[in-house]
Amino acid sequence: MAKLALLAVIASLLGAVSCEFPVYAGYGFPRPNPNMPFAFPFPPFFSPASPAPGLRVGYYTHNGRCPQAEKIVRDAVEKATAGEKAGLIRLFFHDCFVQGCDGSVLLSGADTERTAFPNLSLRGFEVIDAAKAALETACPGVVSCADVVAFAGRDASYSLSSGRINYRVPAGRYDGKVSRAADTFQHLPPPFGDLNLTTAMFAAKGLSQDDMVVLSGAHSIGRSDCSSFPDRLPPAANSSTAMEPKLAQQLTGTCSAGGSVNVLQDAITPDKLDIQYYTNVLSRNVLFNSDASLTTTTETEGLVEFYAGKRPLFRGKFLGPIQWNHDFEDAMVKMGYIGVKTSA
């Protein structure tokens, strides 16, 4: 028993991370070569100073406990469908915004996060389960579920963007043990929210309004249930940000079929994580009021126009469609620092 206790202490020291959560910019993570193939190996090095102490790029390679961890997750993501990959990006977002990036969205049971209404349409759990099962075979008890969700969100982004979005993921998160359905309503931005509400809910997580505009671009993939946007369809539609009439008419017919009906968030490039979303916002071909509200201020509308390629220059930056890929990378890394758990 004494030997087992000693081994447990050693293991905890090897895997421990001290993860207070100061929020500041300046990530300093070098981007990998965009020409690398999907299954590229991450070099075994620590990143420069991380906004969440204890998280490191190449965490499992550096400590030698599971060098193949990220490849195992990538292999599982590669086998997923486009819809499941879209779900993995959304899963990462929903995990981080409730209880922090701690894997709590995965926990089953009565009144857990995944039973809450905003999470009933989440996808990708089977992909996470497959990756975690493979990891437990290769490296039992080493890789946290929270890190698996973060890796999978990155790999899905890479795949759906045809390699244009490609970033290193600082890892070393601990898993949370608390998961409450009620927390989802308090922390997840609702689709009917206006710009002020959505901006405030992102700010509460240490994310800026620009981060919100950037991450909203993930609405270029995936599907949504009709129950998420009744406020956007006649006769309830807000005239100032009303949905494009032809789309509204089409969806009114589709959604009146009864039961649970899912529709594409972006009918033009539904399986591509790209800047089509921003063109859709400008033409009012978006489902949610939170999307349509991005045109209600000059600052957010200007950023939308920049990412859509309608503005050649914005705040000293140029080539908006290319810049969005890099800004999305940075915003995903930054989101991955939300509420990181310590060993306690």
Side-chain angles (χ1 to χ4, degrees), residues 16-207:
V17 291
S18 176
C19 301
E20 298 295 328
F21 181 51
V23 177
Y24 55 88
Y27 316 113
F29 299 117
R31 292 189 179 89
N33 185 339
N35 296 318
M36 283 183 175
F38 184 45
F40 59 87
F42 287 102
F45 67 94
F46 275 8
S47 69
S50 164
L55 297 193
R56 297 289 187 268
V57 169
Y59 176 82
Y60 295 103
T61 299
H62 182 89
N63 64 24
R65 299 180 68 198
C66 195
Q68 67 273 47
E70 296 191 47
K71 184 181 184 305
I72 289 173
V73 177
R74 284 195 301 273
D75 289 344
V77 173
E78 280 188 298
K79 297 173 184 176
T81 66
E84 289 170 331
K85 291 172 184 174
L88 290 169
I89 297 173
R90 185 171 176 235
L91 194 65
F92 179 51
F93 174 82
H94 281 228
D95 184 38
C96 291
F97 263 62
V98 183
Q99 293 287 341
C101 307
D102 65 350
S104 58
V105 72
L106 304 176
L107 296 177
S108 299
D111 297 322
T112 56
E113 291 171 35
R114 65 189 291 178
T115 68
F117 181 78
N119 286 341
L120 293 179
S121 59
L122 286 179
R123 301 183 64 186
F125 292 107
E126 296 82 2
V127 181
I128 300 296
D129 288 345
K132 183 61 173 170
L135 286 165
E136 288 304 301
T137 298
C139 321
V142 172
V143 182
S144 69
C145 292
D147 281 341
V148 175
V149 172
F151 293 147
R154 182 270 315 278
D155 297 335
S157 299
Y158 180 95
S159 179
L160 293 176
S161 69
S162 299
R164 293 182 180 88
I165 294 171
N166 192 10
Y167 58 95
R168 292 183 167 97
V169 176
R173 299 168 182 81
Y174 276 83
D175 289 331
K177 296 183 178 180
V178 176
S179 184
R180 295 184 292 254
D183 290 344
T184 62
F185 297 98
Q186 181 180 353
H187 296 284
L188 291 174
F192 55 79
D194 61 15
L195 184 63
N196 288 336
L197 176 62
T198 308
T199 298
M201 295 187 79
F202 271 72
K205 304 301 177 184
L207 299 174

Side-chain angles (χ1 to χ4, degrees), residues 257-280:
S260 179
V261 179
N262 291 313
V263 298
L264 294 170
Q265 294 201 90
D266 172 13
I268 299 175
T269 58
D271 295 333
K272 293 183 180 180
L273 182 57
D274 59 14
I275 52 90
Q276 180 61 44
Y277 164 80
Y278 298 100
T279 299
N280 294 346

